[in-house]
Amino acid sequence: MHHTAWTKKASTVPSDRIRPTPQLAVTGGKKGKAKTPVPEAPKSKAVRQLESLKNGLTASYGSAQRDQKGGCFCQAKDHALSTHSPLCRNCGLVLCEINLPQYACPHCSTAILTGTQQDALIARLEAQISETLTQEALLRERAAEEARRAVGAFPTLGNTTPPSRSAPPAVPQTRTVMSLNSKTKKVTVSAFVSTPSPSPSRPVSRAESIDEEPVRVAKPPVEVPFVSAAKQDPLRPWKDLSGGGAVYIP
């Protein structure tokens, strides 16, 4: 067989009539598809309160400071008794739920919780947050399943979010009116086209997401006002200074 420059194995001269073989680009690995991040559900008020309390305890660990708002001195008369620290371990002040455990006692400025109690409370709060989130997720899935059953859709598998159904567009409505002229005895046909306007959705009220500030009882004065303002009689130190005095009845 006669060998030419185009048939010789060791030849490097290309031919214009031979189509080059396309080479596939070799990649280093399989490129995965970018996953669309699933939007997180809004946190409820209970979860926000638990997380705020846990973050406050973590930030003030070992250095409890007084509440900038002054605390509350109602002694659980106007508010519920604190479930975390119902009593100051130094001065014995009864603490209501307004006095958060990450702050010091509003009266004696002593840390309400010890280090061991603070660690135990943080662990308990983390367990409560996890349990609350799990229960809320189950309730949302149950509500979504009931909504799908009410509509008649097929149930979805796993934790997939059902597609949101948009409201159908407004369809123009045509009305035909027939009128009879009493003089000419002729029938007139008129057509009217009306487009229904979509009902506006209810806006989200900002007052629902804002927590109201509780009413706090201020610290009582050191001296009784009417005692400090009245003039004491040295001959009658036992006199009733509240007003009126004792009345002798024979």
Side-chain angles (χ1 to χ4, degrees):
M1 181 178 178
H2 180 68
H3 295 279
T4 62
W6 294 274
T7 59
K8 193 175 181 180
K9 294 182 180 181
S11 175
T12 57
V13 180
S15 175
D16 297 337
R17 296 185 179 183
I18 300 177
R19 296 181 179 179
T21 305
Q23 297 181 358
L24 299 177
V26 180
T27 57
K30 295 182 179 179
K31 187 176 181 181
K33 296 182 180 180
K35 296 182 179 180
T36 305
V38 180
E40 296 182 357
K43 297 180 180 180
S44 62
K45 181 179 179 181
V47 175
R48 293 198 306 268
Q49 289 179 350
L50 292 174
E51 288 184 347
S52 176
L53 184 58
K54 182 181 76 70
N55 296 335
L57 287 170
T58 306
S60 63
Y61 189 85
S63 60
Q65 298 179 359
R66 300 188 65 174
D67 189 359
Q68 298 295 332
K69 298 180 181 179
C72 182
F73 289 85
C74 73
Q75 300 186 22
K77 296 178 181 178
D78 298 343
H79 310 105
L81 186 67
S82 175
T83 57
H84 308 295
S85 52
L87 198 69
C88 177
R89 56 191 176 91
N90 183 43
C91 66
L93 177 67
V94 179
L95 302 174
C96 65
E97 61 182 0
I98 306 301
N99 298 302
L100 300 180
Q102 65 261 30
Y103 296 115
C105 175
H107 176 65
C108 63
S109 302
T110 305
I112 297 176
L113 300 178
T114 61
T116 305
Q117 293 175 343
Q118 200 165 355
D119 293 336
L121 181 56
I122 291 175
R124 188 165 71 249
L125 289 174
E126 291 177 351
Q128 290 180 1
I129 292 172
S130 178
E131 182 180 358
T132 306
L133 290 175
T134 303
Q135 292 179 356
E136 291 180 356
L138 292 176
L139 291 177
R140 285 194 299 268
E141 292 179 1
R142 187 179 304 173
E145 184 67 22
E146 292 178 356
R148 286 193 295 268
R149 290 179 180 177
V151 175
F154 291 97
T156 57
L157 300 177
N159 296 328
T160 57
T161 305
S164 58
R165 297 189 176 184
S166 58
V171 180
Q173 299 178 358
T174 305
R175 295 183 301 171
T176 304
V177 179
M178 300 178 63
S179 58
L180 177 62
N181 194 342
S182 59
K183 296 182 179 180
T184 59
K185 305 298 181 180
K186 292 183 179 180
V187 178
T188 305
V189 180
S190 304
F192 300 92
V193 179
S194 61
T195 303
S197 58
S199 59
S201 59
R202 175 180 176 269
V204 179
S205 176
R206 296 182 60 185
E208 297 177 358
S209 59
I210 300 177
D211 299 335
E212 296 181 358
E213 183 67 21
V215 179
R216 301 170 182 264
V217 177
K219 184 178 181 179
V222 179
E223 297 181 357
V224 183
F226 63 84
V227 173
S228 59
K231 295 181 179 180
Q232 295 185 1
D233 189 359
L235 299 178
R236 300 180 60 189
W238 58 86
K239 180 181 179 180
D240 185 7
L241 301 178
S242 60
V247 179
Y248 175 74
I249 300 177

